Amino acid sequence: MKQARPEAYRIKSFEEYQEKYKESIENPEGFWASVAENFHWKKPWDRVLEWDFEKPEVKWFLNAKMNISENCLDRHLENRGNKLALIWEPNDPKERFVRFTYRELYHEVNRFANVLKKNGIGKGDRVCLYMPMIPELMIATLACARIGAVHSIVFAGFSSTALADRIQDASARMVITSDGMFRGAKEIPVKRIVDEALESCDSVEHVIVVQRTRWAVDMKEGRDKWYHVEAREVSDECPAEEMDSEDMLFILYTSGSTGKPKGVVHSCGGYMVYTAYTFENVFQYEESDIFWCTADIGWITGHSYIVYGPLLNGATTLMFEGVPTWPDPGRFWQIVDKFGVNQFYTAPTAIRALMAYGEEHLYEYSLNSLKVLGTVGEPINKEAWDWYHIHVGRNRCPIVDTWWQTETGGIMISGLGGLSPMKATYAGYPLPGVLPKLLDEQGQEIREAEREGYLVIARPWPSILRTTYGDHERCKLTYFSHFKGYYFTGDGAKRDKNGMYRIIGRVDDVINVSGHRFGTAEIENAINKNPHVIESAVTGYPHPIKGQGIYAYVVLRDSEEDEENIRAAIRETLIKEIGPIAKPDLIQFVPGLPKTRSGKIMRRILRKIAEGEPGKLGDTSTLLDPAVVEEIVKGALV
Ligand code: WT7
């Protein structure tokens, strides 16, 4: 079996980056073939790439056969069998941490794969994972990949209703969960949430329950099985299923501008090559380093840079169950020192939250092991960037500001740790293979520097989404129809005279709260379920820690009910429909919404008011009832 040789595709200088970039654009097929050669393929490809952004249809490494779990595990056994693959740090610092070598992780994944098979799961079946950040989450993910089952991981902060929607949309045959979950000071009854969700899901035949908290839970006869009991009955060797490069690897749900989250679909071969390539080069990982990404595996960041990217390169990846502020705001730095973390990858919202607690929480830690710092999920403001650079990086660690999306699978625009020039608030240059462009309203390319435009990508890269599950038309409409011939990101950006990109933020009806995406329509639908509500409109507004907060304008029916009670009830509905992270921060009751004569809500106006700029509303003459705007401005909560 071909052993992993990440050094074969490692970029070592900025000049080399520039050469590789040029090569990747002039000859993408040759370029990606030379990267892909370094993986283990059961059968080589006939063609590197076929694409058509009209349909849209993108295929990489056509007819090649492979298995990504084999590339993550089996391939390292000869040279890295005793190297640490995974370090797991529990929520509570007093509890013992756990480590897995590549050989140990290999056996655990094989064992889990056999449990899946024993319970009737095979290639192509969808398996939903709803779990805390425990090693079994990573193990189960890789076990699905090993037997060709499609994983759909749902972040365990989502409500039972949101979980049920996702299980139904994917017609999942199995759910993998745990008895309970510890997160900071909170204890969450995960299994009970799954039980609630399953009341409305017919597709699920079995629930595998991993023991974490040892709480007593209801086990439904015939349906629910304890993992530790099942595991005793199977072997820890399981052959890796032969997958086509374009077979589905996973579905991951994300919010868009319509009410219903969509299942972004990634396939095996391209995702493997691209996540491995970007991990190696963005973080400049060296063989004995310890890499820590603080995301949850339930988001794309965790999929690509806790699980697949690091393991494909034979790296040691750290996984943390808890939160940055518990038991105290020094928890991240204590973990960095405890294990000697070398690359640290987190979100601006976490940096801002810790910044608010003050730098005294960093004083007792050396942080000497750190070499590269990363951020992801939302634009990082200058203050947070400086604080990260000075207090965490002690002025000696490069920061990589990595722009990408669930749909892109891997990092698209970013510095390469220590090699590229850095500029605070700029993500920087596109990675090899990525051809971004800025377009104006009419779809004309903007060539001058310093002008803001719509960020699009002109060519396919290996880990571009392939479809949205069960609804290809939606994929086409959302990403490939706004500007013909381009993938539309939904972001606005600008470019400086040196070609560095700065991401401004979403230009569609998506709000980015603490690095998590919500569609305004999705939140409005939930608010409108309240019987006192006639209609509502939601926008984002600048929030010092979350980046964007949720501002809801709500029109009520005539009623005797106390407004504070209605506010509380609306928040409760959001917790029930989506989860606590989607709770509106501000709820303003308004007499009506600003609408055009054709009945369309003028969101631009509401956004300006929420941003605290009622003086910049622009033209309101086309409004049906301009007086409504004055009322809203008078009662504004910012
Ligand atoms: C949206 C994607 C992919 C990682 C987690 C979020 C915003 C992401 C950056 C960055 C500015 C960023 C964009 C993007 N975003 N990274 N470095 N600078 N904005 O994934 O939930 O799919 O959200 O997050 O607006 O479109 P996601």
Side-chain angles (χ1 to χ4, degrees), residues 262-316:
K262 46 186 180 282
V264 169
V265 169
H266 283 287
S267 62
C268 299
Y271 179 82
M272 169 174 81
V273 171
Y274 196 74
T275 51
Y277 181 79
T278 51
F279 173 80
E280 181 70 16
N281 287 304
V282 169
F283 299 106
Q284 294 286 303
Y285 178 88
E286 288 168 291
E287 189 62 49
S288 56
D289 285 347
I290 292 177
F291 175 83
W292 181 19
C293 164
T294 70
D296 192 289
I297 292 179
W299 308 109
I300 191 69
T301 310
H303 283 60
S304 302
Y305 300 107
I306 298 179
V307 184
Y308 289 112
L311 296 180
L312 285 164
N313 289 303
T316 301

Side-chain angles (χ1 to χ4, degrees), residues 242-536:
E242 184 170 295
M243 303 295 284
D244 188 273
S245 172
E246 281 303 327
D247 278 339
M248 209 184 298
L249 174 63
F250 66 85
I251 307 172
L252 183 57
Y253 286 86
T254 189
S255 296
S257 34
T258 57
K260 200 173 148 258
K262 46 186 180 282
V264 169
V265 169
H266 283 287
S267 62
C268 299
Y271 179 82
M272 169 174 81
V273 171
Y274 196 74
T275 51
Y277 181 79
T278 51
F279 173 80
E280 181 70 16
N281 287 304
V282 169
F283 299 106
Q284 294 286 303
Y285 178 88
E286 288 168 291
E287 189 62 49
S288 56
D289 285 347
I290 292 177
F291 175 83
W292 181 19
C293 164
T294 70
D296 192 289
I297 292 179
W299 308 109
I300 191 69
T301 310
H303 283 60
S304 302
Y305 300 107
I306 298 179
V307 184
Y308 289 112
L311 296 180
L312 285 164
N313 289 303
T316 301
T317 179
L318 193 150
M319 181 175 171
F320 173 45
E321 188 184 30
V323 298
T325 47
W326 190 84
D328 63 66
R331 183 68 167 127
F332 271 1
W333 322 125
Q334 181 243 333
I335 297 173
V336 167
D337 273 10
K338 179 171 174 183
F339 298 105
V341 169
N342 304 105
Q343 289 86 12
F344 178 76
Y345 190 27
T346 197
T349 188
I351 298 168
R352 286 190 300 262
L354 295 174
M355 192 168 119
Y357 282 98
E359 42 281 4
E360 53 277 22
H361 294 282
L362 288 116
Y363 291 165
E364 60 183 287
Y365 303 107
S366 95
L367 306 182
N368 275 339
S369 56
L370 291 173
K371 297 200 273 195
V372 175
L373 303 176
T375 80
V376 61
E378 52 174 313
I380 183 164
N381 49 312
K382 178 83 169 66
E383 297 69 30
W385 195 97
D386 285 341
W387 190 86
Y388 199 29
H389 193 242
I390 296 167
H391 297 288
V392 181
R394 307 265 149 93
N395 279 315
R396 49 171 199 86
C397 300
I399 294 179
V400 288
D401 177 352
T402 66
W403 173 83
W404 57 297
Q405 311 177 296
T406 304
E407 295 85 345
T408 71
I411 298 168
M412 301 286 281
I413 300 180
S414 167
L416 306 181
L419 308 184
S420 321
M422 278 195 300
K423 186 163 157 184
T425 76
Y426 279 72
Y429 294 100
L431 294 199
V434 176
L435 188 60
K437 296 204 186 287
L438 298 177
L439 304 184
D440 66 15
E441 205 72 52
Q442 280 72 45
Q444 295 302 312
E445 189 175 342
I446 299 173
R447 292 171 194 276
E448 318 80 297
E450 304 296 344
R451 261 186 65 197
E452 224 173 277
Y454 296 108
L455 179 64
V456 298
I457 315 288
R459 296 261 190 89
W461 59 100
S463 64
I464 185 173
L465 85 160
R466 299 302 195 263
T467 188
T468 45
Y469 191 78
D471 191 352
H472 193 65
E473 195 53 29
R474 185 148 178 224
C475 173
K476 180 174 175 162
L477 280 175
T478 315
Y479 307 106
F480 299 93
S481 302
H482 293 265
F483 302 107
K484 281 259 164 319
Y486 295 102
Y487 166 82
F488 177 46
T489 63
D491 280 322
K494 68 179 189 185
R495 196 172 40 223
D496 73 5
K497 62 177 193 314
N498 300 316
M500 292 177 89
Y501 284 84
R502 175 186 184 154
I503 313 299
I504 317 276
R506 302 292 305 196
V507 293
D508 50 7
D509 293 322
V510 167
I511 315 182
N512 190 328
V513 185
S514 302
H516 304 314
R517 264 158 80 171
F518 296 102
T520 51
E522 191 186 356
I523 299 173
E524 289 158 9
N525 289 349
I527 294 177
N528 297 348
K529 289 199 172 161
N530 185 295
H532 298 286
V533 172
I534 296 177
E535 61 175 344
S536 62

Side-chain angles (χ1 to χ4, degrees), residues 129-133 137 153-160 163 176-178 180-181 183 188-190 193-194 296-299 578-581:
L129 285 67
Y130 186 79
M131 294 171 84
M133 282 283 284
L137 172 53
I153 310 181
V154 177
F155 171 62
F158 278 113
S159 69
S160 63
L163 172 61
I176 306 175
T177 189
S178 67
M181 149 169 170
R183 212 173 133 74
I188 300 150
V190 187
I193 298 172
V194 170
D296 192 289
I297 292 179
W299 308 109
I578 304 177
I581 38 178

Side-chain angles (χ1 to χ4, degrees), residues 111 115 118 211 226-235:
R111 197 191 312 277
V115 168
K118 178 170 176 280
Q211 212 170 36
W226 284 108
Y227 178 67
H228 63 276
V229 175
E230 293 293 291
R232 277 184 218 134
E233 295 171 28
V234 299
S235 102

